[in-house]
Amino acid sequence: MPTPPSVQQRQNSMGSPELPDDFEIAPGHRLRTWKSLTLSEANGATADWTKGIAILNARIRRRFIEPAQLLIDAENGKGRGTNGFAVLAIDFLLIETIQGFREGLINHNGKSKALFKAFLTNWPAFIACVPQHGNANDLAVNVYEQGRCALHHTGSTDRITVRKSGKVFVFSHDRRITVNRTLLHQQLVNAFDSYLAELKVPANADLRRKFKRKMDHICS
């Protein structure tokens, strides 16, 4: 039986159903808004780019940054607390998400480790924690395996200790890691803000193209 015309109109070039124009892609922003934007090098300094970047800002803050901050705030002034791993789980996803936008990847399958390592080894907050004579690449992989993978695959880890104070990361000789979840989150917010600031510069054409590619896929 042929597909009704109304359904055909909602299918993209891959044959998958398209999102409706009133679909909310970020708080206060509908799909129709994104589709109305003209994002190119030729109009790099226009209000369209300002709007497009604002959509990303709202999307990431509501989905990642604000929930993690609520968990942190809920334990302020209390003792040891139990929200640490939940904060790390969100923030480790945020790391991969930011790097995915930086690289314009529309599919992270099989690429999570590379994205995670690329972010950490280019992040001053991480590099500052690498011990003298330490290998940043190896330590980044350790954080990925002990943190991102362990938490997201099994919901636990036996080699990460979560704190509310101290350095962002402390690496021990036995491959154990201590993480200050409060400072980690603060530094990740700073990293995201820095990425947004880069996107606002028209000269960063390649970074902008990758951002647009990623958002176009999300909105398709």
Side-chain angles (χ1 to χ4, degrees):
M1 185 179 221
T3 305
S6 59
V7 175
Q8 287 180 341
Q9 291 171 0
R10 295 187 203 138
Q11 292 183 340
N12 58 29
S13 60
M14 300 297 292
S16 302
E18 288 189 348
L19 297 172
D21 283 349
D22 64 349
F23 187 85
E24 188 176 68
I25 57 175
H29 301 282
R30 304 289 174 176
L31 177 60
R32 67 171 63 90
T33 302
W34 176 262
K35 291 168 68 174
S36 72
L37 301 177
T38 301
L39 304 178
S40 65
E41 290 185 53
N43 70 334
T46 65
D48 280 12
W49 274 105
T50 300
K51 173 65 74 174
I53 295 168
I55 290 173
L56 174 64
N57 186 28
R59 181 181 176 90
I60 298 302
R61 289 189 186 281
R62 180 61 62 88
R63 294 189 171 206
F64 298 98
I65 293 174
E66 292 175 4
Q69 190 60 53
L70 285 172
L71 290 170
I72 292 171
D73 292 343
E75 292 185 340
N76 282 345
K78 298 182 180 180
R80 185 174 180 179
T82 58
N83 293 348
F85 278 178
V87 173
L88 293 192
I90 294 171
D91 278 346
F92 288 155
L93 279 176
L94 178 58
I95 285 173
E96 186 176 327
T97 299
I98 295 174
Q99 192 63 29
F101 271 98
R102 280 192 167 278
E103 298 186 18
L105 290 182
I106 61 175
N107 189 329
H108 290 196
N109 289 344
K111 300 174 183 176
S112 294
K113 182 177 180 179
L115 289 170
F116 207 89
K117 186 171 75 169
F119 181 93
L120 290 184
T121 54
N122 287 281
W123 188 28
F126 175 81
I127 296 301
C129 297
V130 175
Q132 188 176 15
H133 307 305
N135 186 300
N137 286 318
D138 290 346
L139 293 175
V141 171
N142 194 19
V143 174
Y144 171 77
E145 293 175 347
Q146 297 299 329
R148 192 272 189 197
C149 289
L151 288 174
H152 294 157
H153 293 166
T154 67
S156 65
T157 174
D158 61 357
R159 288 186 175 272
I160 286 186
T161 302
V162 186
R163 305 291 189 198
K164 298 181 181 180
S165 60
K167 297 172 67 175
V168 180
F169 297 100
V170 176
F171 298 101
S172 301
H173 294 300
D174 61 359
R175 299 185 77 243
R176 294 183 181 274
I177 307 167
T178 301
V179 183
N180 177 346
R181 48 85 161 156
T182 304
L183 189 54
L184 171 70
H185 185 67
Q186 291 173 353
Q187 293 293 342
L188 279 178
V189 173
N190 292 341
F192 179 62
D193 288 341
S194 295
Y195 172 58
L196 294 179
E198 290 179 72
L199 285 176
K200 293 175 182 177
V201 179
N204 292 329
D206 185 57
L207 194 68
R208 285 180 158 202
R209 279 193 296 270
K210 291 173 179 176
F211 154 66
K212 183 178 182 300
R213 180 192 308 151
K214 179 84 167 178
M215 278 300 298
D216 281 343
H217 176 73
I218 290 172
C219 295
S220 67

